[in-house]
Amino acid sequence: MSKTSQMFAASVVRNSGMTRILGIVVLASLGLSAGCGSANQWRDQSLALRAKGYAFKGTKLKKVSWAGSGVWIDEHTMVTNAHVATRALSLRGTDDRGNKFRFTKILALDSSNDIAVLHARRGNDGIETALLDERPEDPKDLRGTKVLAIGNTGGQGLSVYNGQVTNYLKRGRYENIVHSADISSGSSGGPLFDDDGRLLGINKSINLRLRQSFATPAWVVQRVLNRGKRNGG
């Protein structure tokens, strides 16, 4: 995927203010809960993210903020894109019910596959978190699968996009699910659910010319989590 044909889906706007730096720690253990229990379970599982940090504008360092998306995989653990989380000095999320959360630790990170796993303090409120899809024997069999993508469109809140898997691409250790859900700016890190409500992937980029969207497969996310567990001993 060329840089000219592909743009990341996180939108950047100017803003001010910052809080504590996100600490990077090792993921010690993680248990995944059950998948979607209802057609609207995505409203509890998905998050609209707002990040604040700094960026160079010419030769000057300016305060900026940007939008992204995320998804709960257990009651205290959220997955998003690395390019959404790693530059942030402050990262906050809001689910579709209006509940707000603050993320203070990056638990596991894979920049090459654009995956970041983060922790948030919250009560044990019993939400049904997203269950990750396992890798099929031949991922190309996913073509034609109906999908539901959730994204924080333009930083204005969570939107729903329907589509289907159009292809699966693998080059070396990099895997991508290609789909037709027409996600837009701010959707980076948002969930891609299959028609059974399981987490199929994490959206990361779009190709405007081909009108295709790309997601890191859920089984790659699972590998990132497993490495974090092993590193934690």
Side-chain angles (χ1 to χ4, degrees), residues 21-39:
I21 296 177
L22 296 176
I24 297 179
V25 300
V26 176
L27 180 66
S29 63
L30 181 65
L32 300 180
S33 303
C36 291
S38 69

Side-chain angles (χ1 to χ4, degrees), residues 69-73 78-84 113-117 130 132 149-150 175-177 179 183 187-193 199-205 213-222:
S69 306
V71 60
W72 293 110
I73 56 171
M78 183 268 293
V79 174
T80 185
N81 285 152
H83 78 261
V84 171
N113 284 300
D114 206 4
I115 292 297
V117 183
L132 279 68
I150 311 296
E175 298 180 68
N176 284 288
I177 293 172
H179 62 90
I183 59 175
S187 297
S188 281
L192 181 72
F193 295 111
L199 184 63
L200 183 59
I202 300 295
N203 289 307
K204 62 180 178 180
S205 60
S213 303
F214 298 86
T216 299
W219 55 85
V220 175
V221 176
Q222 186 65 65

Side-chain angles (χ1 to χ4, degrees), residues 6-168:
Q6 183 177 336
M7 63 170 288
F8 285 121
S11 62
V12 180
V13 294
R14 291 187 180 181
N15 210 327
S16 61
M18 67 177 184
T19 58
R20 58 190 290 187
I21 296 177
L22 296 176
I24 297 179
V25 300
V26 176
L27 180 66
S29 63
L30 181 65
L32 300 180
S33 303
C36 291
S38 69
N40 289 322
Q41 195 62 48
W42 66 266
R43 298 189 62 192
D44 298 308
Q45 297 171 337
S46 308
L47 290 164
L49 301 179
R50 172 62 63 178
K52 293 181 180 180
Y54 285 85
F56 279 101
K57 299 291 186 180
T59 59
K60 294 183 177 181
L61 192 62
K62 300 284 188 178
K63 293 178 181 180
V64 297
S65 67
W66 58 95
S69 306
V71 60
W72 293 110
I73 56 171
D74 77 9
E75 289 187 336
H76 303 280
T77 311
M78 183 268 293
V79 174
T80 185
N81 285 152
H83 78 261
V84 171
T86 53
R87 296 185 295 120
L89 299 178
S90 169
L91 185 62
R92 297 176 183 269
T94 306
D95 67 19
D96 204 54
R97 312 286 186 184
N99 300 306
K100 299 181 184 301
F101 308 94
R102 184 164 64 94
F103 298 92
T104 56
K105 293 179 181 179
I106 296 179
L107 301 173
L109 185 68
D110 185 339
S111 296
S112 61
N113 284 300
D114 206 4
I115 292 297
V117 183
L118 294 95
H119 175 270
R121 293 181 180 177
R122 61 178 294 172
N124 295 320
D125 50 13
I127 66 165
E128 294 189 40
T129 50
L131 182 65
L132 279 68
D133 258 343
E134 297 180 355
R135 187 184 191 277
E137 183 174 349
D138 184 357
K140 285 189 176 293
D141 288 341
L142 292 170
R143 289 176 295 189
T145 299
K146 293 181 180 179
V147 293
L148 180 74
I150 311 296
N152 181 18
T153 305
Q156 301 301 307
L158 295 175
S159 298
V160 178
Y161 302 89
N162 291 294
Q164 67 179 23
V165 176
T166 60
N167 207 352
Y168 163 79

Side-chain angles (χ1 to χ4, degrees), residues 166 178-182 206-214:
T166 60
V178 187
H179 62 90
S180 62
D182 195 17
I206 55 180
N207 185 311
L208 294 176
R209 182 174 60 86
L210 298 178
R211 301 191 68 178
Q212 292 181 327
S213 303
F214 298 86

